[in-house]
Amino acid sequence: MTNNNGLVIIKKEVKDMNSLQVTCFLKVAECMSFSQAAAELYVSQPAVSRQIRLLEEELGCLLFDRSRKRLLCLTPAGMVFRDAFLRSQQGLAQAAAAAQQLAGQNELRLCVGIGQGWELSDMLLAFRRQVSLRHPRAALSFESCTFRQLHSKLHSGALDVILCTKTSISSFEALEIVEAACLESRAYVRRGLLRDPEEPLRIQDFQGQTLLMLPEDESPMAAQIVQLQFLAHQVETRAVYLPNRDTIFQALLMGDGISVFDEYMGLDRDPRLDWCYLDEMIPICTVWKRSNQNPLIRLFAEVMLQGFQARKAAPYP
């Protein structure tokens, strides 16, 4: 039976396919020559041809277009299966490396990056306890960095996994992103600057103020999202970008503007500052490269999720 593209369709379950057939197919797809593939695999050309034929019968479609002499090319189905087999091989190699680590042949290591200014020591200690119970030989290291540094070190491989705001992620390509929590968003200003210190601060008091924000390459979507939160209350602000959180904090104390931070920054405990809630929540995510199969990463994501849920049940002081 054939379809409209002339591909042979055999209605049967794919159950006899083996690694030799896949190896021969990928080598021919790479060389675009049965004879060259046979030479590189150190087997005869008829043997390669037979394995390809068996694979085509098993898959139910032609993988190569042989209609033109001396010009071999993949069929559309062949392209699909080539990419699928290559992905499968890469996944198996990554899984084998992770399994080797789990078997104790290599010591497990995990480098964790945390957003600067966050007080998460209780959750990190809980993660360390879990690792020591399950993988006593594993080595852990923790770094506190700006969001820009976190993403740079994640992509360079200096960090295996990071905990950051979702608004700081500029590209989601090739990343695994697991939301751990949504934190309260709070607008801060020097106490007494906009309102009598004895009166409760309202969001309308921020009308026309300078909004102090991290650079766009540090947190790409943050300024737009924060301004939209204010606009939802008909409050307009003007964004000014400062290099880091310490600079923003000093500018707040000097009365040079307002700023917005999540609840874990602990600025609400500073008597020199006043604040009020914003409606929007700030998503906090565990992020790692999809290609990184380190089994400790998933454990870290689970412990962070549990830790944030526990804090929500018993509010952070």
Side-chain angles (χ1 to χ4, degrees), residues 73-137:
C73 62
L74 287 165
T75 64
M79 295 178 187
V80 171
F81 279 111
R82 176 199 59 191
D83 294 343
F85 288 141
L86 286 173
R87 287 194 300 270
S88 177
Q89 282 189 341
Q90 292 168 356
L92 287 172
Q94 293 166 356
Q100 188 179 41
Q101 288 184 320
L102 282 173
Q105 297 178 25
N106 292 317
E107 183 180 352
L108 278 173
R109 296 179 179 274
L110 189 73
C111 298
V112 179
I114 304 294
Q116 198 172 59
W118 284 341
E119 173 45 58
L120 303 176
S121 58
D122 56 331
M123 295 163 62
L124 298 180
L125 285 171
F127 172 62
R128 178 178 285 173
R129 286 193 294 269
Q130 287 293 322
V131 171
S132 65
L133 288 173
R134 305 185 193 190
H135 309 283
R137 296 178 57 194

Side-chain angles (χ1 to χ4, degrees), residues 174-237:
L175 295 177
E176 288 287 346
I177 300 171
V178 176
E179 191 168 299
C182 281
L183 306 185
E184 291 176 356
S185 183
R186 299 174 177 181
Y188 291 88
V189 67
R190 191 185 73 188
R191 185 175 296 277
L193 183 67
L194 303 182
R195 202 169 184 82
D196 187 287
E198 303 303 321
E199 298 180 4
L201 192 65
R202 304 170 305 173
I203 195 168
Q204 288 75 19
D205 296 327
F206 292 88
Q207 179 67 42
Q209 293 297 308
T210 298
L211 177 62
L212 308 172
M213 298 295 299
L214 292 170
E216 289 184 319
D217 58 352
E218 169 80 3
S219 193
M221 298 182 290
Q224 298 91 322
I225 291 174
V226 169
Q227 287 178 310
L228 286 173
Q229 293 181 55
F230 283 114
L231 286 173
H233 296 272
Q234 289 78 50
V235 174
E236 294 188 6
T237 58

Side-chain angles (χ1 to χ4, degrees), residues 167 214 228 239-240 281 311:
T167 55
L214 292 170
L228 286 173
V240 171
M281 304 292 280
R311 281 192 174 187

Side-chain angles (χ1 to χ4, degrees), residues 268-286:
D268 54 300
R269 298 193 293 272
D270 193 315
R272 296 169 293 180
L273 297 175
D274 201 358
W275 58 276
C276 70
Y277 291 111
L278 293 179
D279 295 334
E280 197 71 22
M281 304 292 280
I282 300 176
I284 305 298
C285 300
T286 304

Side-chain angles (χ1 to χ4, degrees), residues 45-59:
Q45 181 175 334
V48 171
S49 299
R50 182 174 183 277
Q51 294 302 320
I52 298 297
R53 185 172 66 255
L54 289 173
L55 182 60
E56 287 178 326
E57 291 177 359
E58 193 63 42
L59 295 176

